[in-house]
Amino acid sequence: MNARTSQTAAPGAASGFGVNPWLIAVLVAVASFMETIDTTIANVLLNYIAGGLGVSEDEASWVVTTYLVANAVSLTASTFLTQRLGRKTFFLICLGLFTVSSVLCADAGSLDALLLFRLLQGVGGGGMVPVAQSILADAFPPEKRGQGFALFGVAVVVAPVVGPTLGGWLADNFSWRWAFMINGPVGLITMVLIALVLREPEAAAVQRRLRRHEARFDAIGFALVATFLGSLEIMLDRGLEDDWFGSTFMVEVAVVCVIAFVLMIPWEVSRRSPAIDLRMIATRQFGACFLVMLAIGAILFATTQFLPQLVQQDFGYTATWAGLMLSPGGVVTMVTMFVVGRLTGAVQPKYLIAVGAVLIALSMWDMTNVYGDLDFWFMARSRMLLGVGLPLIFIPIIAASYDGLPLGKTDQASAILNAARNTGGSIGISLVSNVLWDRQQFHQNMLVGQAVPSSVPYQDAVHQATNYFVAQGSSLWAAKQQAAQWVGQQVAAQSSYLGYMDAFLVLMLISLAAVPLALTLRKVKPGGTTPMGH
């Protein structure tokens, strides 16, 4: 067996002796699916949690924040722990902690207990997705990795769509606790199967034993990166609710974030074995992939949160129908993932990413035409177009980011890319929240300025509305009151539509910014060998 054949065969060993790598892919995808769902599922449970535990909705919103912060911190340490413990052992520990803490969340009797268990859940979940990505890279030979990542992509791209829908349905029909309890049996079964099926390659085990005495945990770097990411997540998640820098707490968090960031860069760059290798982000290839992943995270999470909010608030959809509106796009994403998985071996990632970014931009441009008479299928079609664009970015960006990495950097790449996706999601949600609030206020002030008694269009509108309500049987005095209320409702509705138009326009610009970034990527050898790290 020559060196090249040996190099190609090694990845297959990760799936065990004679075990189909697709079984490995399904198992780690299920685990990743559970973790990614829990990133968004709690957003729709806050009212139920607040009522069930007797707290305010603002206090209950820390259920989301604690998970995101713990998730970010866990990602920081995942590379070192993977190298020290091995991928299988670390993955099972993370999955076990995630499963147990999910059940404890379901049984929490107070908000303090729930926040503690969500913290543990975030710690367990944060290490799962990047390690799952690395396991898949080892389980498939280089020419098949695109197809393996397609299944992984379904988990991490479709799950944020499923999360709010599933959580709302469980809370409406059973209890908010079931949104956490459902992870228990699924996680337990997945743990048992992974423990039985997954085998660490012998070469990886030997490398890990050799490096065990060489590797040193960058405790200071870990503390700086974790503090920066954690405080950034708190700022993004709580900023609008706490009036940003009008709040003393937010000012303190911002100061901590800036100090940690300023100290983090020189420390991590000068370390031989940093907690997060920032030098990778400084390279043209990986740096561009990092920025594109930030953008896709922002668009994925922001649209998943605010499209259902739009149709529920302004179009009267129930939570179930809002979820159904997203579903066709989820189906399209699943199908497209596997098509793109095959295309990655034949088409350069840079071109696939550019096409995907343009399609997402078109989807966002389509949504800038929001008005009151839009039907269900307009929203669904726009989401389906987004569902085609996301896989065209997600799978090729992984292939492009691994290209040219030195041996042993795959785990770092996985951790950094997943941190980029999660952080980008928080940035996107925060950005859209602030754009909506600011632009809706702006448009409402502009429209109110036109709705004055001296305005001829206002007089005509009130007159027509009054005649309508009189025709419906109201007295003239009551009809005038109803007409004034109707004009106020129209002002509020139009302000909301215009605010969402501006928000989708911002997301369109973010997507278009990914096009030149994609075109800066160098060409990747089709079916080339990706350097594996253990």
Side-chain angles (χ1 to χ4, degrees), residues 74-276:
S74 180
L75 275 170
T76 306
S78 64
T79 300
F80 173 81
L81 292 174
T82 299
Q83 293 174 348
R84 178 57 63 95
L85 301 174
R87 287 177 184 163
K88 176 182 176 179
T89 301
F90 181 63
F91 189 81
L92 286 174
I93 291 173
C94 289
L95 180 54
L97 179 59
F98 179 84
T99 302
V100 171
S101 55
S102 295
V103 176
L104 292 173
C105 284
D107 195 48
S110 67
L111 180 62
D112 289 341
L114 180 58
L115 294 181
L116 173 61
F117 300 143
R118 278 287 281 180
L119 197 69
L120 294 175
Q121 192 187 35
V123 169
M128 285 166 54
V129 176
V131 177
Q133 189 171 309
S134 298
I135 289 173
L136 282 177
D138 267 356
F140 287 84
E143 65 275 9
K144 296 287 186 180
R145 284 195 189 114
Q147 299 174 42
F149 284 134
L151 185 58
F152 174 78
V154 169
V156 298
V157 174
V158 176
V161 178
V162 175
T165 305
L166 178 62
W169 183 80
L170 288 171
D172 286 338
N173 294 279
F174 300 98
S175 167
W176 63 267
R177 298 180 185 276
W178 277 101
F180 298 112
M181 183 63 75
I182 196 172
N183 290 333
V186 177
L188 182 61
I189 293 171
T190 306
M191 280 181 64
V192 171
L193 292 175
I194 288 177
L196 293 174
V197 170
L198 189 62
R199 297 290 184 273
E200 187 177 14
E202 183 60 31
V206 171
Q207 277 190 3
R208 179 164 54 82
R209 285 193 293 269
L210 291 175
R211 291 180 181 178
R212 178 171 294 175
H213 301 292
E214 299 175 5
R216 294 290 183 269
F217 182 55
D218 179 20
I220 295 177
F222 167 75
L224 291 173
V225 176
T227 301
F228 166 66
L229 289 177
S231 55
L232 179 62
E233 288 287 357
I234 292 174
M235 286 180 59
L236 295 172
D237 193 55
R238 303 286 305 177
L240 186 60
E241 292 181 14
D242 290 352
D243 193 28
W244 287 104
F245 301 116
S247 162
T248 303
F249 172 71
M250 292 305 300
V251 171
E252 293 171 349
V253 172
V255 170
V256 170
C257 183
V258 171
I259 292 174
F261 179 74
V262 170
L263 296 176
M264 174 188 71
I265 294 178
W267 180 270
E268 291 295 88
V269 170
S270 62
R271 296 305 97 183
R272 185 175 180 181
S273 299
I276 293 294

Side-chain angles (χ1 to χ4, degrees), residues 259-338:
I259 292 174
F261 179 74
V262 170
L263 296 176
M264 174 188 71
I265 294 178
W267 180 270
E268 291 295 88
V269 170
S270 62
R271 296 305 97 183
R272 185 175 180 181
S273 299
I276 293 294
D277 194 348
L278 298 179
R279 290 165 293 196
M280 293 171 60
I281 302 176
T283 63
R284 186 188 77 176
Q285 185 79 356
F286 192 84
C289 293
F290 176 84
L291 293 175
V292 173
M293 189 60 86
L294 275 175
I296 190 176
I299 294 168
L300 172 62
F301 283 91
T303 55
T304 300
Q305 177 158 325
F306 290 102
L307 272 176
Q309 179 178 301
L310 166 64
V311 296
Q312 286 179 272
Q313 289 182 350
D314 293 344
F315 291 85
Y317 284 37
T318 64
T320 301
W321 276 101
L324 289 174
M325 181 267 295
L326 298 176
S327 298
V331 173
V332 169
T333 297
M334 286 190 285
V335 174
T336 309
M337 277 287 182
F338 294 102

Side-chain angles (χ1 to χ4, degrees), residues 303-517:
T303 55
T304 300
Q305 177 158 325
F306 290 102
L307 272 176
Q309 179 178 301
L310 166 64
V311 296
Q312 286 179 272
Q313 289 182 350
D314 293 344
F315 291 85
Y317 284 37
T318 64
T320 301
W321 276 101
L324 289 174
M325 181 267 295
L326 298 176
S327 298
V331 173
V332 169
T333 297
M334 286 190 285
V335 174
T336 309
M337 277 287 182
F338 294 102
V339 175
V340 176
R342 292 183 175 275
L343 284 177
T344 51
V347 182
Q348 284 297 316
K350 61 190 296 183
Y351 301 127
L352 293 175
I353 295 168
V355 171
V358 170
L359 291 177
I360 292 173
L362 289 175
S363 173
M364 295 299 96
W365 172 253
D366 200 26
M367 290 302 300
T368 61
N369 298 308
V370 175
Y371 61 92
D373 292 334
L374 293 179
D375 60 10
F376 175 91
W377 283 108
F378 175 88
M379 304 290 185
R381 283 195 301 270
S382 177
R383 187 70 188 186
M384 290 166 71
L385 182 58
L386 180 71
V388 175
L390 287 173
L392 284 167
I393 295 180
F394 185 81
I395 299 176
I397 207 70
I398 296 175
S401 64
Y402 284 168
D403 182 63
L405 287 182
L407 189 66
K409 292 294 184 181
T410 306
D411 293 322
Q412 276 275 5
S414 299
I416 292 174
L417 286 180
N418 280 280
R421 178 174 55 85
N422 290 349
T423 304
S426 296
I427 292 173
I429 291 172
S430 180
L431 177 63
V432 171
S433 295
N434 283 274
V435 169
L436 280 177
W437 184 86
D438 183 71
R439 298 302 293 175
Q440 285 176 353
Q441 293 293 319
F442 170 80
H443 290 300
Q444 185 167 355
N445 290 336
M446 295 296 293
L447 292 173
V448 167
Q450 303 298 318
V452 293
S454 59
S455 169
V456 175
Y458 173 76
Q459 294 173 0
D460 291 341
V462 171
H463 179 70
Q464 293 177 14
T466 300
N467 290 339
Y468 170 81
F469 288 117
V470 168
Q472 299 301 311
S474 299
S475 65
L476 181 60
W477 182 85
K480 288 182 178 180
Q481 298 298 317
Q482 291 172 316
Q485 292 175 359
W486 177 82
V487 170
Q489 292 170 354
Q490 293 304 304
V491 168
Q494 293 302 317
S495 301
S496 180
Y497 296 145
L498 292 169
Y500 275 103
M501 288 180 186
D502 292 340
F504 287 121
L505 182 62
V506 170
L507 293 177
M508 183 196 75
L509 295 176
I510 291 174
S511 182
L512 288 177
V515 176
L517 282 172

